[in-house]
Amino acid sequence: QKRKFISVSRTREQMMNKDIEKICLRKKTIAAGVRRAARWLDQQLCDCAKTPLLIAVLKGSVIFFCDLVRAMKTSVQMSFMTVSSYGNSTESSGAPKITTDLSVDVAGRDVVLVEDIIDSGHTLLALKTFFEQRGVTSFRTVTLLDKPSRRKIPINADYSCFKIGDEFIVGYGLDYNEMHRTLPYIGILKKDIYLSEQNKE
């Protein structure tokens, strides 16, 4: 008698990480948002005299950044910088600090800053000022996520893929204490995860 085997394969989304309270943006939804952002950038950059420079703010934006440039039709150059504003906290410090500067000269360039999330607005304002002082020809910002309820400064990205509420989210490059960046979706982190860590301090 032949045995019948039942498939028990499950997707990574179905096997939701135990630290995640809820999935708020699934893989397909994120991919569609990235494609829309790529089309918008192609339209914005089509008349640039020089090859545009796209800059990723590490580490949170790196997965979004890679998917975005691959979805674009425009030929671009890439660079990276590191800005510290969260550390191991769940809230922006309000005092962003550039910890790894650019390795290229941005003077006279059309620059696009690619962010993972716009929260208080402090980091975006600091970086906008930073690039204007270095003499860029144009400066645009694209963010994967926008959290308008947390804004402390009246500033917005030029393009936002998704607006989210006031929850602490992880996945698709975003982390808590360097964990959960590799999740294929974006989910809300359970409060007891970071509250327990804060109580240890």
Side-chain angles (χ1 to χ4, degrees):
Q1 186 178 357
K2 293 182 178 180
R3 295 181 179 179
K4 294 182 179 180
F5 293 94
I6 300 173
S7 174
V8 292
S9 64
R10 303 171 68 192
T11 66
R12 290 182 68 189
E13 286 192 10
Q14 288 172 328
M15 294 186 291
M16 190 169 68
N17 187 284
K18 62 181 177 58
D19 294 341
I20 304 303
E21 178 182 320
K22 177 185 177 183
I23 295 175
C24 52
L25 289 170
R26 297 185 179 277
K27 185 177 180 179
K28 288 184 178 179
T29 304
I30 296 170
V34 172
R35 289 193 296 269
R36 289 192 295 269
R39 287 195 296 269
W40 181 84
L41 274 175
D42 284 333
Q43 293 171 356
Q44 295 292 310
L45 303 174
C46 62
D47 295 326
C48 291
K50 296 181 180 179
T51 303
L53 177 66
L54 267 65
I55 298 171
V57 180
L58 301 175
K59 303 176 187 172
S61 71
V62 68
I63 296 177
F64 171 48
F65 181 82
C66 292
D67 287 347
L68 180 65
V69 295
R70 288 185 298 178
M72 292 176 65
K73 295 180 180 178
T74 307
S75 177
V76 300
Q77 293 180 350
M78 302 184 299
S79 191
F80 305 87
M81 66 189 305
T82 307
V83 181
S84 175
S85 60
Y86 279 81
N88 291 336
S89 175
T90 59
E91 294 187 15
S92 173
S93 65
K97 179 182 178 182
I98 296 173
T99 54
T100 305
D101 204 344
L102 296 167
S103 60
V104 296
D105 183 7
V106 297
R109 303 293 299 272
D110 294 288
V111 168
V112 179
L113 186 73
V114 180
E115 272 276 25
D116 53 352
I117 186 167
I118 303 298
D119 191 328
S120 67
H122 287 292
T123 299
L124 180 56
L125 178 61
L127 291 176
K128 184 175 186 292
T129 303
F130 170 85
F131 283 105
E132 288 175 347
Q133 290 175 344
R134 292 200 173 184
V136 298
T137 297
S138 67
F139 178 74
R140 297 175 178 85
T141 53
V142 174
T143 186
L144 175 65
L145 303 171
D146 181 24
K147 193 184 287 189
S149 62
R150 299 287 298 177
R151 197 78 84 249
K152 300 288 181 63
I153 295 174
I155 188 171
N156 295 299
D158 294 296
Y159 189 95
S160 301
C161 294
F162 304 100
K163 282 186 170 59
I164 61 171
D166 189 15
E167 297 93 8
F168 191 81
I169 46 86
V170 294
Y172 194 67
L174 290 94
D175 77 303
Y176 173 65
N177 203 13
E178 295 297 334
M179 298 295 293
H180 308 308
R181 291 192 193 276
T182 59
L183 295 177
Y185 53 80
I186 293 173
I188 299 171
L189 187 68
K190 291 179 180 177
K191 287 185 178 181
D192 61 321
I193 301 299
Y194 54 85
L195 289 178
S196 62
E197 291 293 329
Q198 292 171 359
N199 290 334
K200 293 178 183 177
E201 298 176 357

